[in-house]
Structures are given as C-alpha cells and as structure tokens.
C-alpha cells in the first residue's frame, strides 16, 4: 500500500470541504468507503486521482486562522 | 501605484479570464486605495445589493465583528467564486492591509500552485524521511501513510467555490483535533527569520487577553531575529533563543498543547521573498517559501507561526 494524500482545496457551494485525493494505488476501494458515509460530488479523473466533496462542512483539523475560513457554525471550521 | 496595476494579473489568476472581480472590505480608506488601482471595491454589506452582485469576489475582512453571521454570509456568497484574504486574523490597520494586498498583487499564483503540486507529489511518493535544510536549518520530517493537507492544486476557482489565499501559497499539514495526532514527525533545528501571530475568527473574548500578550511576546522575539528553534517529537523545546519567553509562549498558545506543533507547512509563493518585510504581521509573509511551524490553534489561545524561509525540501 502506498501513501494517500487528501488535499483540501476549498469549500463547495454547500460549504463542504472540496478535496482532491491522490494515491499511488487505485482509489476505487477508497471511494467506495467514502461513498458509504459521504457524498461524492465530482467524478474520478483517473484510477489514482479523484475530486470529491465529503461530509457536512465539518473538518477534524485543528482550527488554524491561516487556513480556516471560519464559515462553519461550530468552532471547528471547514478548512480552505 | 502603476507598479501594482501592472502586477495585478497574479492575484486575479484565481478567477476565469475576463470575469469581473469585486473587492469587498469594510474600511472606506482601504476601499479608496483599492479603487485608486482601477479596481471595483465595495463594502461587505453591499454584497447583498443586486447592483453589486458579482460572480467573483475577493473578500477582505479587516474586523470580524463587521462580518454578517455565517449563515447570512453563506447565503450572500452562495454560488459565486470567493477568494478570502483574512487580514482580520493578523494585523489589519491601513498600512498592513495595503502591504498585504500589494504583495498579493505581486504574487504569481500559477507558479505557486505549480510548486504546490510538486510539493504534494513529493509528499505522496517519499519513501524516506524528508530532509529540510539550508540557511541554518537542518530538520527531518517523517510522514504517515495517510496525509490530509490544505493547499491548492488548481489555480482557477470553480463556480461556487471558496478558498483562502493561504491555500495558494502553502502546502499545510494541520493537526487532527480528534486526538491531537499529527500525520508527521518533525525534529531538528530551524533558523527562523519571521514570526507571525494570529487568531481565529471565533476566538472567544475571554481568550483575547492571551492574544494581546502573545502579540507582545512576538514583538519581543522579532527584535532578536533570526532565532534558532529546536523541535523534538513535534514539540518546541526550550532553547537559548526562547529561554526567557518559553513559559509565556506555552501559556498564550494554550498550555494544554504544551507547544505541540499544530501546523507544519511549506511555502510556495517564492516570487515575493525579496519583498517581504518581516516587521509586518502579515499572512502573506509565511507563504514566501521554506517551511513554517505553527503552535496554538488561534481559538483557545494565540496561533504563532515561526517561518524559516530559506531552506528547501530535498527533491522539491
């Protein structure tokens, strides 16, 4: 298994994190797991690359003023 | 003034070519300065006025108390492209605001995003610990197999997409708050040339005292830059550079964290490095290249960034 990098690029129109998932392996299985609990917004570009939007606008990152839009209702902002 | 106008294309690269872009900020003087550059500037509350409705907005809050409630703001910004420049988290007086925007106008976002992609590729493929060195810094970073980073791999915002300017200028690995676990392990010595202090929009009033004290400590440290910062197991440790302020730093960044790193980031906006003024407490400074380490979350205490701009990741 290679490394997986999930890049949070911004927020979509519903305020959900818009992410690009990069992997050195086929991400089909990973997307299947994500689909079980999250909505997948955009299509998979290639077996190793997917652009998805996940969750309900919440992030588990520590809030950081440099990278946090502060738009979420809770203290845990969605990151940009 | 004309110098800035000539450089505008860098910042506006975040929007589709030819799309009209509105700058929204609350201070009249700052709006006048933006207007003098030939750009359209409006008050933030004017975003709700149909005549000012624009498909693309650069939103520059200088004081979070002047922003509409998040739910109202979300409605105002729904469906349009928004680039946030959160000056209110740093210094947002007129001089600081003009400084930040001038450097952002001079930034080449396309080149910065290319650098982000190279850095992310390096994170993705690295099999050995990454070595960061140069300019007096010598450190290593061990990465987990699953990383979440905040950055941009695309230059142009999609319709309805919002992001902060920081995502263009860095590849950041924030700490997971569920268990304070980091997906990296950092150790080494960092030669720090710049220090920034900031706070989250939602910092409670009762933490503002710590924030003010953090500002004083940072000013004190700026007077003795460059500093040598020692990091062991993802934590700032006491060293000669910090000896007289170490306990204060712990306290103002929430002593519960005990100076655990809350952010590890690689700057990618290298084109502005020669123009950075380290006396300014401006977010744009931290993205000028190299590496920066953050302590504190900006909410329960101050967030302080230590910027080591000269070194580079081996292979980046």
């Amino acid at each position: 298994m290679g490394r997986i990098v999930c890049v949070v690029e911004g927020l979509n129109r519903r305020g959900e994190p818009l992410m690009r998932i990069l992997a050195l392996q086929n991400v089909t299985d990973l997307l299947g797991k994500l689909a079980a609990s999250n909505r997948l917004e955009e299509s998979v570009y290639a077996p190793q690359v997917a652009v998805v939007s996940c969750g309900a606008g919440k992030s588990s990152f520590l809030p950081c003023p440099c990278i946090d839009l502060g738009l979420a209702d809770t203290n845990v902002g969605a990151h940009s | 003034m004309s110098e800035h106008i000539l450089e505008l294309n860098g910042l506006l690269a975040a929007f589709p070519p030819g799309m009209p872009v509105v700058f929204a900020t609350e201070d009249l003087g700052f709006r006048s300065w933006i207007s003098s550059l030939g750009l359209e500037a409006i008050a933030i509350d004017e975003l709700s006025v149909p005549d000012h409705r624009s498909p693309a907005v650069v939103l520059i809050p200088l004081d979070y108390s002047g922003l509409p409630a998040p739910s109202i703001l979300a409605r105002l910004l729904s469906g349009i492209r928004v680039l946030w420049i959160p000056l209110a988290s740093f210094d947002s007086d007129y001089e600081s605001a003009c400084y930040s925007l001038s450097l952002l106008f001079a930034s080449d976002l396309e080149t910065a995003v290319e650098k982000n992609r190279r850095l992310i590729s390096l994170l993705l493929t690295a099999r050995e610990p990454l070595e960061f060195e140069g300019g007096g810094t010598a450190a290593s970073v061990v990465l987990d197999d699953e990383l979440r980073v905040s950055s941009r791999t695309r230059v142009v915002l999609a319709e309805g997409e919002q992001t902060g300017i920081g995502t263009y200028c860095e590849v950041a690995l924030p700490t997971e708050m569920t268990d304070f676990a980091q997906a990296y392990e950092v150790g080494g010595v960092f030669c720090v040339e710049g220090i920034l202090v900031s706070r989250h929009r939602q910092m409670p009033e009762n933490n503002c005292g710590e924030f003010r004290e953090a500002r004083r400590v940072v000013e004190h440290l700026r007077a003795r830059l460059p500093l040598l910062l020692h990091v062991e197991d993802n934590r700032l440790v006491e060293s000669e550079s910090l000896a007289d302020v170490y306990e204060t730093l712990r306290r103002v960044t929430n002593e519960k964290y005990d100076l655990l790193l809350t952010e590890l980031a690689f700057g990618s906006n290298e084109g502005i490095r020669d123009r950075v003024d380290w006396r300014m407490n401006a977010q744009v400074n931290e993205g000028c290249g190299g590496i920066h380490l953050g302590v504190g979350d900006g909410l329960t205490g101050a967030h302080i960034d230590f910027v080591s701009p000269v070194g580079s990741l081996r292979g980046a």
Side-chain angles (χ1 to χ4, degrees), chain A residues 3 6 8-9 60 62-63 66 80, chain B residues 126 149-150 153 167 175-177:
Chain A
R3 182 170 292 127
C6 178
V8 182
E9 304 221 17
S60 62
L62 272 173
C66 312
S80 62
Chain B
V149 307
S150 173
T153 63
T167 57
T175 297
E176 296 282 345
M177 72 174 300

Side-chain angles (χ1 to χ4, degrees), chain B residues 10-225:
Chain B
L11 183 58
L12 299 186
F15 303 99
M19 179 172 281
V21 178
V22 165
F23 288 69
T25 189
E26 63 266 48
D27 181 75
L28 178 59
F30 188 44
R31 286 204 302 276
S32 297
W33 181 77
I34 294 170
S35 297
S36 75
L37 303 177
L39 300 164
E40 184 180 358
I42 62 171
I44 290 173
D45 55 13
E46 288 182 288
L47 286 168
S48 60
V49 178
D51 284 353
H52 291 305
R53 193 78 183 153
S54 170
V57 173
V58 178
L59 189 57
I60 314 176
L62 302 179
D63 178 355
Y64 289 132
S65 66
L67 276 183
S71 58
I72 296 172
L73 197 56
R75 198 166 59 245
L76 282 178
L77 303 178
S78 176
I80 61 179
R81 295 166 168 87
V82 185
L83 178 61
W84 285 72
I85 303 178
L87 299 186
S89 287
F90 295 78
D91 282 1
S92 57
D93 56 276
Y94 180 79
E95 182 191 5
S96 300
C98 293
Y99 167 81
S100 290
L101 208 49
S102 295
L103 255 63
L104 291 172
F105 286 160
S107 299
D108 181 345
L109 298 190
E110 292 181 354
T111 301
V113 167
E114 279 179 25
K115 175 79 174 182
N116 289 345
R117 294 171 78 109
R118 288 201 301 276
L119 285 165
I120 292 166
S121 295
L122 187 68
L123 298 180
L124 182 66
T125 57
R127 293 177 183 274
E128 304 292 329
L130 297 171
E131 300 295 329
F132 187 86
E133 53 196 18
T137 294
S140 67
V141 181
V142 179
L143 299 169
D144 281 358
D145 280 343
E146 289 189 27
L147 302 178
R148 293 184 73 186
V149 307
S150 173
S151 187
R152 282 195 73 81
T153 63
R154 295 174 287 115
V155 181
V156 179
L157 290 164
E159 186 179 348
E161 185 177 9
Q162 301 186 33
T163 197
I165 187 65
T167 57
Y168 282 93
C169 305
E170 66 182 25
V171 176
L173 289 86
T175 297
E176 296 282 345
M177 72 174 300
T178 45
D179 52 5
F180 303 121
Q182 287 116 325
Y184 52 84
E185 189 177 312
V186 183
V189 179
F190 296 82
C191 182
V192 172
E193 294 187 22
I195 309 179
L196 307 170
V197 58
S198 56
R199 61 178 166 178
H200 193 277
R201 175 186 171 192
Q202 293 164 313
M203 174 182 260
E205 189 61 33
N206 59 1
N207 289 339
C208 290
E210 278 84 2
F211 181 69
R212 283 189 288 273
E213 190 170 2
R215 292 180 64 105
R216 286 193 290 272
V217 174
V218 165
E219 280 300 317
H220 176 68
L221 288 173
R222 277 199 191 115
R224 59 164 93 149
L225 290 170

